[in-house]
Amino acid sequence: MAECKVCFRHCNIKEGERGFCGVRKVQDGVVTADNYGKITSLALDPIEKKPLRRFHPGSMILSAGSYGCNLRCPFCQNYEISWSEEAKRFESEAERISPEELADTAAYYRDRGNIGVAFTYNEPLVGYEFVRDTARLVHEKGMVNVLVTNGMADLSVLKEILPWIDAMNIDLKSFSGDFYRNLILGDLEMVKTFIAESVKGCHVEITTLIIPDENDSEEEMRRLSSWVAGLSPEIPLHISRFFPRFHMQDRNATDVKKIYRLAEIARESLQYVYTGNC
Ligand code: SF4
């Protein structure tokens, strides 16, 4: 039995078994990431798709994903690779590549506008060791690293990767502890601490998906954007529109007018507010 301290869950994992995320497992009494180098998706994407709007606009970034996640968002857009119950098949099917191979691939695509590697699609930090090892090599090639994360990780994990990360998009899915605890099985305070520390070390943009009747009140947006502005009014905020997905099909897509109204409120305290999926 060993304890994983990567996220707030602190799973106690038996020898040979995995924690809640379906990734971290115990072997010879040590917690390791079973998805190290296992890539389920690889694509050259515009950086605006991450989304990042104020970091090398107009460039491309090689985006790599593995499997596993430590949240259980019922509206997940990547559940096939994120929910461990669904992602089980990737344990054997995913192609394994080394940090050197991924860094070399990033350099190969330089002449197509690629500026580096984005760790994305599933939650990259449940397998942070691969992020750390690859990102170091990407820097050695004079390229940049982007992390797209739910921010559900301990500061000890952040410390391991931050020297190699140039930009992050971090989800701040709500400003309600109940939303985090009950709807997505997460922890709001851990994300807030993660964001507050990350902004000290790299470029950070934040994304909030607005779900009807869950996190769409003007009062919540006011509190969320004021808190972000307290860190810096220059942090970009992406306010994004929900569409029915996966286990959340019981409501319509968010009204576009609602997104524009919440963006107006966020602009009372933040300089850069973007709307998404509208
Ligand atoms: S990263 Fe995974 S194994 Fe570790 S505490 Fe979080 S859910 Fe549990």
Side-chain angles (χ1 to χ4, degrees):
M1 185 83 98
E3 185 183 11
C4 174
K5 295 181 179 164
V6 165
C7 81
F8 73 100
R9 257 177 235 291
H10 283 220
C11 297
N12 279 303
I13 310 170
K14 287 186 191 148
E15 183 69 28
E17 295 191 356
R18 291 158 207 273
F20 180 88
C21 56
V23 166
R24 304 198 70 79
K25 87 175 201 191
V26 172
Q27 212 157 12
D28 301 324
V30 178
V31 183
T32 57
D34 197 48
N35 68 349
Y36 191 97
K38 287 187 179 171
I39 300 297
T40 58
S41 329
L42 193 64
L44 196 58
D45 281 341
I47 198 143
E48 286 78 8
K49 232 177 132 181
K50 297 305 99 192
L52 288 175
R53 289 288 290 269
R54 301 192 64 79
F55 182 78
H56 296 273
S59 55
M60 304 294 284
I61 190 127
L62 184 66
S63 302
S66 183
Y67 61 83
C69 185
N70 47 6
L71 292 181
R72 286 295 176 273
C73 306
F75 44 86
C76 183
Q77 298 181 13
N78 289 326
Y79 64 88
E80 299 97 333
I81 56 168
S82 293
W83 281 44
S84 53
E85 300 80 355
E86 309 280 338
K88 260 196 167 56
R89 65 192 176 94
F90 290 112
E91 290 163 22
S92 53
E93 282 177 19
E95 196 184 332
R96 197 187 282 276
I97 70 172
S98 67
E100 289 79 7
E101 284 171 311
L102 186 52
D104 285 348
T105 307
Y108 175 81
Y109 284 115
R110 245 186 184 132
D111 60 4
R112 286 178 53 184
N114 185 37
I115 59 167
V117 173
F119 302 90
T120 179
Y121 303 134
N122 70 315
E123 172 47 49
L125 294 182
V126 294
Y128 73 90
E129 296 90 340
F130 184 74
V131 174
R132 176 196 62 202
D133 298 350
T134 307
R136 186 173 56 78
L137 299 174
V138 169
H139 264 195
E140 282 176 13
K141 292 184 184 298
M143 303 182 88
V144 302
N145 295 293
V146 165
L147 183 72
V148 182
T149 177
N150 63 28
M152 200 60 59
D154 191 77
L155 292 187
S156 58
V157 172
L158 182 62
K159 201 172 157 201
E160 289 256 346
I161 56 152
L162 197 51
W164 322 112
I165 300 297
D166 303 281
M168 291 190 204
N169 186 294
I170 307 174
D171 278 338
L172 181 54
K173 293 173 190 271
S174 158
F175 212 60
S176 148
D178 281 350
F179 178 105
Y180 264 89
R181 208 169 18 253
N182 301 328
L183 189 65
I184 61 173
L185 310 188
D187 183 75
L188 173 62
E189 291 310 312
M190 179 164 252
V191 186
K192 285 167 66 183
T193 305
F194 189 91
I195 292 173
E197 280 304 304
S198 298
V199 298
K200 296 175 190 167
C202 72
H203 175 83
V204 170
E205 302 193 13
I206 291 174
T207 296
T208 304
L209 178 75
I210 301 298
I211 304 169
D213 303 326
E214 298 292 350
N215 61 352
D216 60 346
S217 77
E218 296 187 8
E219 180 267 336
E220 183 170 339
M221 179 50 68
R222 202 162 267 121
R223 285 193 296 123
L224 185 150
S225 50
S226 301
W227 179 79
V228 174
L231 301 174
S232 165
E234 294 185 3
I235 296 174
L237 176 66
H238 300 259
I239 298 178
S240 182
R241 190 176 173 217
F242 160 89
F243 286 93
R245 287 239 153 71
F246 192 37
H247 290 324
M248 196 175 262
Q249 308 269 355
D250 60 343
R251 63 202 80 198
N252 294 328
T254 317
D255 188 343
V256 174
K257 288 200 283 290
K258 166 72 81 174
I259 297 290
Y260 290 149
R261 173 66 191 137
L262 295 180
E264 251 175 53
I265 290 170
R267 287 188 188 109
E268 290 169 6
S269 49
L270 293 169
Q271 286 177 27
Y272 307 110
V273 178
Y274 303 99
T275 54
N277 296 337
C278 287

